[in-house]
Amino acid sequence: IISGSEHIFGSLWFFERLIESINSIKDTYKLILEDKLDENKRKNDIIEFYKLFLHSWLKNDEILKFGNQSILRTIEIELLQLYINDPNEVLELLFSFKHSKDDSIEILMKNHKYFYLAKYYDHLNDKNQFLYYWKGLIEGTFIDDEFTKNLDKRKSLRYLTNYISKHCSKEPDIIKRYGEWLLLNHVSYGLILYTSPELMNSDINQVSILRLLDETEEGRSQKLIYLNY
């Protein structure tokens, strides 16, 4: 059940009550698999029990008395790997983690869960990484079915422009990088960004915007919108 020793950190294996409980679950799991009757149901039942077991230990104050964050790190890693394919649980779980940020990012990347990765970076307030992966999902650089299930291109572009307007109004490098990309590839959303009230006081080169609009047929057709603004 447990993923392997490479995901176990700190003094977990010396924490007597926890290791005894894990071994008991593993022994029970082995016996269940030996019984072929309703094997899938039995397997699911024991995994669900194991999840509850890990959740209970994650909330157990006794662990904190040891002053060893590695135990909690191990539990968080194991929970993420158990829930990695559960769209109803994984984000809430990720957002609750406090001890396994780098490990969680690595697991999401290895499993190609780029939508969850972008949302996790959003939760961490890492603007550059969130925008990098979100743009990559829109362009198709990163492929993730969960992204297309949740958002079509129109909604994903609108989310991007709203994010930049709300969170990056004082970051001219981000506005320029993604604003120029939008103007050249998704003109109407580039104009939505540059005409948003949140960017009224931002450092924006209007001449550069007009030049970019002149580079595409769609841009030239919508240039008047920006001039009137």
Side-chain angles (χ1 to χ4, degrees), residues 101-150:
K101 182 184 79 172
D102 292 340
D103 303 288
S104 297
I105 289 169
E106 181 181 353
I107 291 168
L108 292 171
M109 291 184 70
K110 283 183 176 179
N111 287 274
H112 309 293
K113 300 295 184 181
Y114 301 113
F115 175 64
Y116 299 150
L117 182 60
K119 296 293 284 183
Y120 188 43
Y121 275 124
D122 185 3
H123 172 73
L124 296 172
N125 197 32
D126 190 330
K127 302 169 188 175
N128 283 297
Q129 287 299 313
F130 164 74
L131 290 166
Y132 171 76
Y133 282 101
W134 200 260
K135 176 175 174 281
L137 285 163
I138 293 172
E139 289 185 313
T141 306
F142 301 112
I143 305 299
D144 187 344
D145 290 341
E146 203 60 41
F147 177 73
T148 54
K149 286 178 186 176
N150 283 272

Side-chain angles (χ1 to χ4, degrees), residues 171-185:
E171 303 197 34
D173 290 343
I174 288 179
I175 296 170
K176 183 176 186 296
R177 185 184 317 131
Y178 291 95
E180 289 182 356
W181 170 71
L182 286 168
L183 285 176
L184 291 173
N185 296 277

Side-chain angles (χ1 to χ4, degrees), residues 57-66:
W57 275 102
L58 195 61
K59 298 175 182 178
N60 193 327
D61 292 337
E62 287 188 27
I63 295 178
L64 297 175
K65 293 178 183 178
F66 285 78

Side-chain angles (χ1 to χ4, degrees), residues 50-59 75 79 83 93:
Y50 183 46
K51 289 177 181 178
L52 290 172
F53 165 80
L54 290 173
H55 276 296
S56 67
W57 275 102
L58 195 61
K59 298 175 182 178
I75 294 172
L79 278 169
Y83 282 98
L93 187 69

